């Protein structure tokens, strides 16, 4: 009996050792699986973020392609209408000084846009006095120029005009 019991104890001991090894091996596999699951979860999150960035980039590219197509259509239409730089002459305009009201009226009428010309203003300034002649309250008073009389007599210095720009004229 003692021998049978010893054999049975040995068998239980080996069986316990084998089961302990399987349990240890299962714990190691489980911890590795959890670690891999966390890594994969992080990679999926990063992949989703990259996918969203790619979607945004595709939208931007599509928008830019539409803008380029619109610009190309505009250029094509401009060329067909003769609106290319080679078909226009450019004249710089700069007026800086006193003018009469009749001259001012004529100048302003000339700066209007027509079918064969276009005025691009850069500076437009009208004043009673040139900017450097403004007086401060402490300085001596300077007499204001007398306005044009009612008899249509206009003087050269009715108003100060500073006008700078470009005329574009079709050839």
């Amino acid at each position: 009996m003692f021998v049978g019991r010893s054999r049975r104890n040995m068998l239980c001991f080996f069986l316990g050792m084998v089961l302990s090894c399987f349990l240890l091996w299962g714990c190691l596999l489980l911890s590795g699986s959890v670690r891999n699951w966390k890594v994969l979860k992080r990679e999926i999150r990063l992949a989703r973020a990259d996918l969203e960035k790619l979607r945004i980039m595709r939208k931007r590219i599509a928008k830019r392609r539409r803008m380029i197509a619109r610009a190309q259509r505009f250029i094509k239409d401009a060329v067909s209408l003769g609106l290319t730089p080679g078909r226009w002459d450019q004249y710089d305009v700069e007026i800086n000084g006193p003018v009469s009201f009749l001259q001012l009226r004529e100048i302003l009428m000339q700066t209007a846009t027509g079918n064969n010309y276009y005025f691009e203003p850069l500076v437009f300034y009208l004043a009673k006095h040139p900017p450097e002649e403004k007086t401060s309250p402490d300085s001596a008073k300077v007499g204001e120029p007398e306005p044009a009389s009612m008899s249509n007599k206009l003087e050269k210095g009715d108003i100060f005009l500073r006008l700078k720009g470009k005329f574009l004229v079709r050839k």
Side-chain angles (χ1 to χ4, degrees):
M1 270 201 171
F2 187 67
V3 174
R5 191 181 268 182
S6 167
R7 201 183 260 180
R8 197 167 95 197
N9 284 343
M10 280 300 257
L11 183 65
C12 286
F13 174 73
F14 285 122
L15 188 59
M17 288 300 281
V18 168
L19 288 175
S20 295
C21 287
F22 278 128
L23 184 61
L24 180 63
W25 182 64
C27 288
L28 289 175
L29 284 178
L30 181 64
S31 67
S33 296
V34 169
R35 187 174 39 248
N36 288 341
W37 176 74
K38 288 181 180 179
V39 168
L40 289 174
K41 187 177 176 182
R42 182 174 160 263
E43 287 179 1
I44 288 172
R45 189 181 73 241
L46 292 175
R48 285 184 179 153
D50 288 344
L51 182 64
E52 187 61 30
K53 287 178 187 176
L54 286 174
R55 285 182 185 147
I56 290 171
M57 287 174 60
R58 282 185 189 152
K59 287 180 182 178
R60 287 181 183 165
I61 288 171
K63 183 178 179 182
R64 288 183 179 144
R65 283 184 179 161
R66 287 191 304 269
M67 289 172 54
I68 288 171
R70 283 181 35 205
Q72 287 174 340
R73 281 193 306 270
F74 175 78
I75 291 169
K76 184 180 174 184
D77 291 344
V79 168
S80 69
L81 293 173
L83 301 176
T84 57
R87 302 217 28 212
W88 291 78
D89 285 330
Q90 179 177 325
Y91 300 101
D92 292 327
V93 175
E94 186 167 353
I95 300 172
N96 192 11
V99 294
S100 68
F101 285 115
L102 286 177
Q103 290 172 327
L104 177 64
R105 180 175 176 252
E106 186 68 28
I107 290 170
L108 291 179
M109 286 174 51
Q110 289 176 359
T111 59
T113 299
N115 289 334
N116 294 320
Y117 61 92
Y118 175 78
F119 181 72
E120 181 182 344
L122 300 173
V123 175
F124 180 73
Y125 177 78
L126 282 175
K128 201 173 193 181
H129 302 286
E132 59 272 3
E133 289 185 22
K134 289 186 178 176
T135 58
S136 64
D138 298 333
S139 67
K141 285 195 169 188
V142 177
E144 292 184 15
E146 294 186 20
S149 65
M150 298 299 279
S151 65
N152 288 335
K153 179 184 171 218
L154 297 174
E155 303 196 8
K156 182 178 180 197
D158 287 334
I159 194 158
F160 180 80
L161 172 66
R162 180 178 294 156
L163 178 67
K164 186 176 183 180
K166 297 177 192 175
F167 262 110
L168 298 172
V169 181
R170 188 179 295 209
K171 288 183 180 181

